[in-house]
Amino acid sequence: MAAPDAEDYTESDDEGADAYRKGGYHPVTVGEVYNGRYQVIAKLGWGHFSTVWLCQDMSFSRYVAMKVQKSAPHYTEAAYDEIELLA
């Protein structure tokens, strides 16, 4: 069986502006600096729980990925589980 073509998928390429609200995605802007260290370069992707951004670590002159979790309280446990898994 052949692999499906990209145009066969109907899922949106972005999460939609209406998802950026209280309890939803946190608005991140290219050029913003987080913790005085990580400058946002570009959005890498998004999923049900978060968005992922390419950032420049200005302290060590390297690129890093920054994951920004949705803000609703019920996403907190999923975030802590992921941190534990990656630690």
Side-chain angles (χ1 to χ4, degrees), residues 69 73-87:
Q69 190 80 17
H74 60 277
Y75 293 115
T76 302
E77 185 176 345
Y80 283 124
D81 288 346
E82 188 167 3
I83 291 167
E84 183 71 26
L85 177 71
L86 297 173

Side-chain angles (χ1 to χ4, degrees), residues 1-66:
M1 179 160 73
D5 292 330
E7 56 267 10
D8 291 339
Y9 294 103
T10 58
E11 194 167 328
S12 174
D13 287 335
D14 72 31
E15 60 280 24
D18 60 329
Y20 286 86
R21 56 177 162 57
K22 186 174 182 177
Y25 297 109
H26 175 76
V28 174
T29 305
V30 170
E32 268 186 290
V33 176
Y34 286 83
N35 290 343
R37 179 175 172 179
Y38 303 104
Q39 184 174 28
V40 178
I41 305 297
K43 185 161 104 178
L44 295 174
W46 63 280
H48 182 71
F49 298 111
S50 61
T51 54
V52 180
W53 298 84
L54 174 66
C55 295
Q56 173 76 43
D57 180 340
M58 298 184 301
S59 295
F60 292 98
S61 297
R62 63 183 177 187
Y63 292 105
V64 297
M66 177 178 75

